[in-house]
């Protein structure tokens, strides 16, 4: 887990995270593709990470769901996330499979136990963003891969902290690019 304070609203920080663009611009080894939109708050994502030798490149397919604790239909989740404050947004990543993203020999398929972001309001224009991830990266060099994944996690949060305030004009939280 990693956490940071962001000078932006909860919705601005969530929108920034969901757009993936800055993460992709900064990391040329990474590709993220939404392969199916299931609803306004849920989609299937295929992410690939290309590693240099001796590592084997990895990919993962996950369902991304956005839970907004201010909406009536999501109040039932409040009991599961007792520490989530009113106004919080949780972006949940759950491992899944999809016919449009079959396993291939070029990539080892990572198993994502659970992952995502917990975004909680501190004030109207600041929030705390916590990135949670639990994966089995499969294969050799697991400690080096874990170190690399942790560095990505820290860079993601640093990007959110530095850039999400630019999204203050946006209102909607939406999982699409």
């Amino acid at each position: 887990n990693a956490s940071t304070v962001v000078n932006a609203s909860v919705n601005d920080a969530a929108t920034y995270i969901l757009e993936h663009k800055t993460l992709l611009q900064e990391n040329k080894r990474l590709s993220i593709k939404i392969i199916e939109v299931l609803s306004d708050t849920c989609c299937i994502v295929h992410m690939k990470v290309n590693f240099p030798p001796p590592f084997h490149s990895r990919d993962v397919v996950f369902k991304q769901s956005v839970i907004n604790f201010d909406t009536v239909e999501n109040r039932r989740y409040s009991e599961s996330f007792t520490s989530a404050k009113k106004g919080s947004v949780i972006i949940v990543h759950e491992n899944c499979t999809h016919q449009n993203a079959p396993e291939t020999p070029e990539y080892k398929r990572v198993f994502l136990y659970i992952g995502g972001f917990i975004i909680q309001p501190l004030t109207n224009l600041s929030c705390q963003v916590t990135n949670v991830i639990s994966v089995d990266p499969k294969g050799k060099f697991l400690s080096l891969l874990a170190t690399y994944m942790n560095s990505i996690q820290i860079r993601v949060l640093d990007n959110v902290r530095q850039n999400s305030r630019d999204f203050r004009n946006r209102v909607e939280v939406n999982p699409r690019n």
Side-chain angles (χ1 to χ4, degrees):
N1 299 349
S3 188
T4 190
V5 173
V6 176
N7 290 321
S9 71
V10 169
N11 278 346
D12 293 343
T15 300
Y16 181 80
I17 291 166
L18 291 167
E19 290 209 349
H20 303 136
K21 289 180 182 140
T22 303
L23 179 60
L24 290 172
Q25 289 168 356
E26 201 171 277
N27 193 338
K28 303 300 182 203
R29 296 177 193 266
L30 185 66
S31 73
I32 300 172
K33 181 179 178 186
I34 294 175
I35 54 178
E36 184 177 353
V37 175
L38 303 173
S39 73
D40 286 344
T41 59
C42 187
C43 63
I44 305 295
V45 178
H46 186 201
M47 184 170 74
K48 297 178 182 178
V49 182
N50 294 302
F51 290 110
F55 300 112
H56 201 274
S57 294
R58 304 294 200 267
D59 76 337
V60 63
V61 178
F62 58 89
K63 181 173 84 171
Q64 176 175 275
S65 304
V66 178
I67 302 168
N68 185 329
F69 282 91
D70 279 345
T71 61
V72 173
E73 65 270 14
N74 288 326
R75 293 218 173 115
R76 63 190 168 100
Y77 289 107
S78 297
E79 295 168 14
S80 301
F81 296 98
T82 54
S83 64
K85 297 177 183 176
K86 183 177 190 231
S88 296
V89 170
I90 297 182
I91 302 168
V92 180
H93 297 157
E94 301 172 87
N95 199 76
C96 70
T97 60
H98 195 279
Q99 69 272 10
N100 292 341
E103 289 189 46
T104 63
E106 299 89 40
Y107 293 90
K108 282 193 185 282
R109 182 63 49 100
V110 169
F111 186 84
L112 173 66
Y113 294 106
I114 192 78
F117 296 87
I118 301 168
I119 309 163
Q120 298 187 79
L122 297 174
T123 67
N124 286 342
L125 290 176
S126 70
C127 59
Q128 180 167 337
V129 179
T130 303
N131 184 211
V132 178
I133 188 165
S134 179
V135 299
D136 178 356
K138 310 285 185 183
K140 298 178 183 178
F141 305 108
L142 294 180
S143 63
L144 290 173
L145 282 171
T147 301
Y148 180 77
M149 295 303 286
N150 284 339
S151 73
I152 289 175
Q153 186 180 35
I154 290 166
R155 277 187 278 154
V156 167
L157 286 177
D158 195 45
N159 274 335
V160 171
R161 185 180 52 75
Q162 291 180 26
N163 299 308
S164 61
R165 67 179 143 250
D166 297 335
F167 284 78
R168 285 191 179 146
N169 295 330
R170 300 197 182 182
V171 179
E172 295 297 316
V173 174
N174 192 322
R176 295 182 217 155
N177 278 345

